[in-house]
Amino acid sequence: RVAALAVVVGSLAAINTWDVPAYGLLSLGAVAVSVALRHRGRVRPMTIVGWGAWLAGFWALAYLAWAPFHLHYDAPSGGVEPGKWRTVTWQYVAIHAVVAFGALSWLAAVSWRTELRRRVLSRPMARRAAALLVGVVLVALTLWVAAPPLREWTTFTLLSLALAATLAQMGLWAVRRRAEPETPVRLLVAGMLALALGIGAGVDVVRVTPDIDRMNTIFKLGLNAWVLYALAGGAGLWHLWATGALRRHSGPLGPLRHGWVTLAVVLGLAGLVFPIWGTLARVDDRFDNSVGLTLDGEAYLGTAVYGDPGPADTKADDARYPLADDAEALAYLREHTVGTPVVLEAAYRHGYRWYPRVAAYTGLPVVVGWEWHQEQQRGDGGRITRYVRARLADVETAYATTSEEALRAVLARYGVDYIYLGPTERAYFPPEGLPKFEALEGRGLDVFFTNGQVRIYRVDGAWRDKSDTL
């Protein structure tokens, strides 16, 4: 089981590297609980040695099972650095409250039943400590109101307090209740909650570099936190219902049961707002909604008209053109090409545009795709960036030049099999360079496909021979 877990966690490095820290730590915790169970909860030197051996084997297999990826992957990350941004509390609550509510409710209810009611609140010293804690909280609230600079740390502070309480409870379960059959599951569920809380607090302190402010740090790690909250909350709510904690009048949820149920219903309804209204807003933001409900992701191409900002990147569109001719040409490429021929299509330094539509809709390789994604996914530090920008310059040369020799050099350099000439290319490159393609028909270029706005040329094999021109 540990070997299977190692292979799965190791695969995350290649699938989505951001998942490795959270699920790697969760896996280590699960292995630790398993080792402790094998030793009946007794922590002895050999227990620690055994745990270390299992963990070493786990990480070794997780790496070796995916060694080809690790040996050939040029990671763009530059590590972590202190963050300059803090999470607004209401925004964090809006995102995570629905899933975190169940997990935190479960932790409070089980903590009351296992620790607080009998071991803490029944003792005079513990009651005085609780009163002191309430006083500290009141002082902290006073400072928060009086010192505005502290307010930006509200989310971090609340999450850190919840994390400390969760870890303390896990420690008590591991020490005092290690022999109980429910303890391993409690530790696993609480461990998920602790990881989710830790991620929320951690991204307010550090960010992964390079990043756009901390966009990817919040987005990628926040997904892990949301899933962990949901898993812990789902298991926790089921446990509260199955053990009767939601139906009894005793315990922490007893006197507050009606208020708790009301809050749960409100959060549940609030959670339904985004799937409904978010979907409607997203649909309204499409190019064309006249096609109706369909699972065909290309259906809009038949009627949509695209406003292209062009190379100047101004607010006004440089060109507007229907996408129907592109749709027909792309379908023809998919149906009538064999293997993976290289296609030359427009590429420029602006993102979120209609290009590279050939790569996106056919899966065929192109000379270069979207600059920012290419630089992100192919390493950082200038070396790869230089190569990507060199390809962008070559694409511009191929379309803009009036020289046959310059065009042939680019085609040979990248082994181009097809040249795509459509409304996008006409919008981004000077018109004096485009007539050369028609002039070269029958002299190195053959018409492969043509319709109203698109013409695709097949490049003669001799032009793709690098030794002929380079």
Side-chain angles (χ1 to χ4, degrees):
R1 290 195 294 269
V2 172
L5 181 63
V7 172
V8 171
V9 172
S11 72
L12 297 178
I15 297 171
N16 187 26
T17 312
W18 294 87
D19 289 339
V20 174
Y23 296 113
L25 288 173
L26 184 63
S27 300
L28 295 182
V31 173
V33 171
S34 178
V35 172
L37 285 176
R38 291 170 61 88
H39 292 81
R40 300 182 180 180
R42 298 183 181 91
V43 180
R44 297 173 177 174
M46 287 307 299
T47 306
I48 299 175
V49 172
W51 183 36
W54 278 107
L55 297 187
F58 173 88
W59 280 117
L61 182 57
Y63 180 88
L64 293 174
W66 301 92
F69 168 79
H70 294 291
L71 294 175
H72 296 87
Y73 180 56
D74 183 12
S77 174
V80 298
E81 67 179 15
K84 299 182 292 184
W85 304 269
R86 311 289 173 253
T87 303
V88 180
T89 303
W90 75 262
Q91 293 176 346
Y92 187 90
V93 171
I95 294 171
H96 295 291
V98 175
V99 287
F101 177 73
L104 293 171
S105 298
W106 167 80
L107 182 68
V110 177
S111 297
W112 172 271
R113 188 171 70 248
T114 60
E115 306 296 337
L116 295 176
R117 184 175 58 183
R118 296 178 181 176
R119 294 182 177 272
V120 177
L121 296 183
S122 61
R123 300 178 181 180
M125 182 66 72
R127 288 197 296 269
R128 287 194 290 270
L132 178 62
L133 178 61
V134 172
V136 171
V137 171
L138 291 176
V139 171
L141 288 174
T142 303
L143 290 174
W144 182 83
V145 173
L150 295 178
R151 296 177 191 174
E152 68 171 327
W153 292 94
T154 300
T155 305
F156 171 82
T157 302
L158 293 175
L159 292 174
S160 298
L161 291 173
L163 174 60
T166 303
L167 294 176
Q169 181 59 84
M170 292 174 65
L172 291 174
W173 285 339
V175 173
R176 292 179 175 175
R177 299 180 178 274
R178 57 179 179 266
E180 294 182 5
E182 284 190 357
T183 297
V185 180
R186 288 175 183 166
L187 292 174
L188 183 63
V189 175
M192 294 180 185
L193 174 59
L195 279 172
L197 293 167
I199 289 172
V203 296
D204 270 12
V205 180
V206 297
R207 70 162 186 159
V208 178
T209 60
D211 202 347
I212 305 171
D213 295 338
R214 57 169 187 166
M215 181 188 73
N216 286 297
T217 303
I218 288 284
F219 170 48
K220 290 291 190 175
L221 296 179
L223 285 176
N224 290 331
W226 199 93
V227 171
L228 291 168
Y229 274 136
L231 292 172
L237 288 177
W238 172 86
H239 184 256
L240 293 179
W241 178 262
T243 57
L246 297 181
R247 301 190 296 272
R248 289 196 298 264
H249 291 280
S250 61
L253 298 182
L256 304 174
R257 184 175 55 166
H258 295 297
W260 184 92
V261 171
T262 301
L263 181 56
V265 171
V266 170
L267 287 174
L269 293 175
L272 295 176
V273 171
F274 179 79
I276 297 173
W277 296 106
T279 300
L280 293 174
R282 187 63 172 164
V283 169
D284 288 340
D285 198 35
R286 292 289 151 190
F287 287 113
D288 178 54
N289 296 324
S290 64
V291 295
L293 297 177
T294 176
L295 295 179
D296 182 3
E298 295 182 337
Y300 76 97
L301 295 176
T303 55
V305 176
Y306 180 65
D308 200 321
D313 199 24
T314 58
K315 293 184 178 180
D317 294 332
D318 286 359
R320 291 184 61 83
Y321 45 85
L323 302 181
D325 285 345
D326 273 326
E328 183 184 5
L330 295 170
Y332 191 89
L333 268 175
R334 288 198 303 269
E335 295 169 5
H336 294 86
T337 53
V338 179
T340 54
V342 177
V343 181
L344 175 70
E345 68 164 320
Y348 213 75
R349 291 175 175 81
H350 303 311
Y352 300 103
R353 301 294 176 86
W354 178 225
Y355 60 80
R357 76 283 202 201
V358 174
Y361 283 88
T362 70
L364 295 175
V366 295
V367 174
V368 64
W370 178 13
E371 178 190 24
W372 178 228
H373 269 182
Q374 294 295 325
E375 293 179 2
Q376 278 184 312
Q377 298 171 11
R378 298 181 184 275
D380 195 39
R383 179 172 58 88
I384 300 300
T385 299
R386 185 173 71 252
Y387 293 158
V388 171
R389 292 177 180 174
R391 286 183 174 238
L392 285 168
D394 283 342
V395 169
E396 184 172 1
T397 297
Y399 284 104
T401 185
T402 58
S403 166
E404 176 182 332
E405 290 73 18
L407 172 64
R408 292 188 63 178
V410 173
L411 299 180
R413 182 173 296 121
Y414 301 107
V416 173
D417 298 280
Y418 295 94
I419 300 173
Y420 195 99
L421 180 60
T424 304
E425 286 71 23
R426 295 185 179 92
Y428 281 84
F429 302 112
E432 56 269 20
L434 301 180
K436 67 177 178 293
F437 296 110
E438 184 175 356
L440 291 171
E441 291 179 10
R443 295 193 302 110
L445 301 181
D446 298 317
V447 177
F448 176 69
F449 171 85
T450 185
N451 64 13
Q453 293 191 87
V454 179
R455 181 164 289 196
I456 303 176
Y457 294 97
R458 183 190 288 114
V459 181
D460 187 273
W463 282 33
R464 297 194 301 274
D465 183 3
K466 297 182 180 182
S467 63
D468 186 46
T469 55
L470 297 179

